[in-house]
């Protein structure tokens, strides 16, 4: 199949997932065309089946806001026609679903072809941004106009149906992880640099937005540090980073906490980690936690949104209500003092991640695609 993938090219979960999907499809001999405004961060390999089309957004003095969505639709039209795409798969509804709707209409008018559009909902496009009345009518319309809609968790499907008037089925195809890549052995030298005295390694990775409650990560870690030696790696960047760094200074945690910024080689960092901390206000799924589990780290998370669909309380990690940092810290302190139980939990996390291996999920997308390609 010739598949167009539209996504955010940044470190956000939807862009990561879309890129990994495209790479996996290319490995299975599909021709994949990424349409984005920048090279996606995880698109760091050469594959003859992968094409990258950059959306150019020319500026003009009249524009306070350059019309990205129009440029995106135009690029979609161009790529669909030139490369004779079989379908468009857009990730994150805003503005990708409405841009795809526009492209679909133009292609229909120009060529008579009805290009199928599949929209995958990822999270904040529904729960935070999409619900805002500024966007809601267009989001509802363009989701409904998609030929198929998928959501990355049961919880996100429920949230979508609760807040939008959706008139066609939403299919759940969960996020996935490449177990072979993330299940790598830790590099001892790297572990030694971070934890020279074999301290336990905590990890948080996100885009440091409010919804992630990054300060809770620091508070949990502070509590743990009062009981046992540990190190914390903070991966990523975003608006809440300065406040988190300030809190680290206030709590005198600087020797034990490192902010390492955006990282591409997550598998190597995850491989040395013992505990992944995700105290989010909401997560539709929590792809970062799944990748951590594949690397045999246990997960300390809230029970918000779709997190209970991947993190099984007391088995693969621990969960508590949003903001209940004390309970999460206590769970961590207890498990880290029992090496045998910790190792058992790490293996359970890995086994749980195996249920979301890309080899089981990619065929679900292929099956979905083929339903629409036949119609074409
Ligand atoms: O987590 C973010 O803020 C980024 C966001 C995105 O769309 O880029 O992530 C969402 O999509 C991921 C991939 O499907 C999910 O694993 C994340 O849970 C989801 N984030 C939220 O719901 C907050």
């Amino acid at each position: 199949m010739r598949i167009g993938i539209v996504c955010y090219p940044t470190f956000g979960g939807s862009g990561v997932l879309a890129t990994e999907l495209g790479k996996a499809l290319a490995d299975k001999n599909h021709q994949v065309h990424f349409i984005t405004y920048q090279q996606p961060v995880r698109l760091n390999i050469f594959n003859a089946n992968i094409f990258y089309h950059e959306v150019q957004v020319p500026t003009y003095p009249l524009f306070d806001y350059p019309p990205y969505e129009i440029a995106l639709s135009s690029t979609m039209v161009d790529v669909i026609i030139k490369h004779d795409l079989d379908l468009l798969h857009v990730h994150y509804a805003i503005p990708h679903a409405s841009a795809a709707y526009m492209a679909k209409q133009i292609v229909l008018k120009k060529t008579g072809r009805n290009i199928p559009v599949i929209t995958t909902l990822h999270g904040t496009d529904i729960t935070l941004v999409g619900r805002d009345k500024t966007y809601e009518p267009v989001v509802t319309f363009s989701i409904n106009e998609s030929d198929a809609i998928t959501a990355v968790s049961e919880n996100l499907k429920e949230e979508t149906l609760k807040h939008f008037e959706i008139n066609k089925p939403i299919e759940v195809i969960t996020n996935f992880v490449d177990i072979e890549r993330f299940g790598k052995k830790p590099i001892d030298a790297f572990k030694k640099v971070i934890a020279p005295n074999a301290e336990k390694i905590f990890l948080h990775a996100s885009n440091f937005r409010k919804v992630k409650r990054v300060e809770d990560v620091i508070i949990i870690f502070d509590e743990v540090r009062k009981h046992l030696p540990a190190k914390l790696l903070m991966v990523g960047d975003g608006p809440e980073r300065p406040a988190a760094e300030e809190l680290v200074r206030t709590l005198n945690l600087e020797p034990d906490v490192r902010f390492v910024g955006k990282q591409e080689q997550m598998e190597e960092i995850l491989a040395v980690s013992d505990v992944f901390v995700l105290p989010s206000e909401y997560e539709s799924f929590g792809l970062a936690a799944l990748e951590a589990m594949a690397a045999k780290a246990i997960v300390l998370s809230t029970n918000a949104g779709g997190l209970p669909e991947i993190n099984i309380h007391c088995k693969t990690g621990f969960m508590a209500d949003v903001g209940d940092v004390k309970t999460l810290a206590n769970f961590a302190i207890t498990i880290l003092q029992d090496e045998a139980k910790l190792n058992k939990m790490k293996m359970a996390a890995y086994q749980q991640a195996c249920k979301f291996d890309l080899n089981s999920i990619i065929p679900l997308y292929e099956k979905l695609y083929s339903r629409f390609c036949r119609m074409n």
Side-chain angles (χ1 to χ4, degrees), residues 191-205:
K191 198 169 176 125
K192 265 220 134 58
V193 171
I194 299 163
N197 302 307
E199 295 92 339
K200 291 290 181 245
I201 300 177
F202 283 61
L203 176 72
H204 171 77

Side-chain angles (χ1 to χ4, degrees), residues 48-313:
N49 289 329
I50 295 181
F51 299 80
Y52 164 61
H53 308 274
E54 192 159 300
V55 181
Q56 304 287 342
V57 193
T59 52
Y60 183 68
L62 183 68
F63 301 150
D64 278 341
Y65 305 98
Y68 173 63
E69 197 173 329
I70 296 182
L72 177 59
S73 295
S74 298
T75 312
M76 286 177 184
V77 170
D78 189 50
V79 176
I80 293 165
I81 296 175
K82 256 199 204 134
H83 296 273
D84 196 22
L85 297 191
D86 291 311
L87 62 93
L88 261 188
H89 186 175
V90 304
H91 292 260
Y92 205 91
I94 305 168
H96 302 150
S98 47
Y101 171 75
M102 176 67 100
K104 185 183 174 87
Q105 298 313 311
I106 297 170
V107 171
L108 186 62
K109 195 97 182 161
K110 273 183 130 165
T111 69
R113 270 195 66 213
N114 187 8
I115 178 98
V117 171
I118 294 168
T119 298
T120 291
L121 309 172
H122 278 274
T124 48
D125 46 350
I126 293 301
T127 55
L128 223 71
V129 197
R131 277 168 63 187
D132 190 298
K133 67 177 183 337
T134 328
Y135 298 118
E136 184 279 322
V138 175
V139 173
T140 306
F141 176 82
S142 52
I143 291 176
N144 279 327
E145 287 298 320
S146 306
D147 294 277
I149 312 160
T150 76
V152 298
S153 66
E154 290 294 338
N155 173 270
L156 185 60
K157 174 181 171 176
E158 281 162 30
E159 287 294 315
T160 310
L161 295 174
K162 208 189 307 170
H163 299 290
F164 296 83
E165 275 186 36
I166 301 300
N167 58 25
K168 55 173 58 130
I170 300 178
E171 299 168 55
V172 174
I173 302 183
T174 64
N175 282 175
F176 59 83
V177 63
D178 182 350
I179 289 287
E180 213 181 301
R181 194 168 104 219
F182 281 87
K184 268 187 184 169
K185 273 202 154 81
I187 302 171
D188 285 341
F190 179 45
K191 198 169 176 125
K192 265 220 134 58
V193 171
I194 299 163
N197 302 307
E199 295 92 339
K200 291 290 181 245
I201 300 177
F202 283 61
L203 176 72
H204 171 77
S206 77
N207 49 21
F208 286 60
R209 294 188 195 280
K210 266 214 151 30
V211 70
K212 303 290 176 184
R213 297 183 66 97
V214 180
E215 289 189 18
D216 283 3
V217 178
I218 314 290
I219 298 167
I220 292 167
F221 182 73
D222 181 46
E223 193 57 34
V224 172
R225 270 296 291 108
K226 288 176 190 157
H227 294 82
L228 47 96
K231 299 284 180 187
L232 169 64
L233 285 178
M234 298 288 283
V235 177
D237 207 348
E240 298 300 308
R241 178 171 166 174
E245 290 195 84
E246 182 57 36
L247 185 58
V248 166
R249 278 191 288 273
T250 311
L251 296 171
N252 291 319
L253 287 172
E254 281 151 302
D256 293 324
V257 182
R258 276 194 195 195
F259 287 81
V260 294
K262 294 175 182 172
Q263 295 289 328
E264 281 179 34
Q265 298 306 319
M266 277 310 287
E267 50 271 44
E268 277 154 28
I269 298 175
L270 287 166
V272 301
S273 307
D274 298 288
V275 183
F276 187 80
V277 192
L278 195 61
S280 306
E281 181 91 33
Y282 178 82
E283 280 304 328
S284 65
F285 184 90
L287 179 60
L290 179 66
E291 291 185 340
M293 289 160 76
K296 302 192 184 76
I298 67 165
V299 174
L300 216 51
S301 76
T302 53
N303 49 19
L307 284 168
E309 292 176 45
I310 55 164
N311 189 16
I312 312 297
H313 185 55

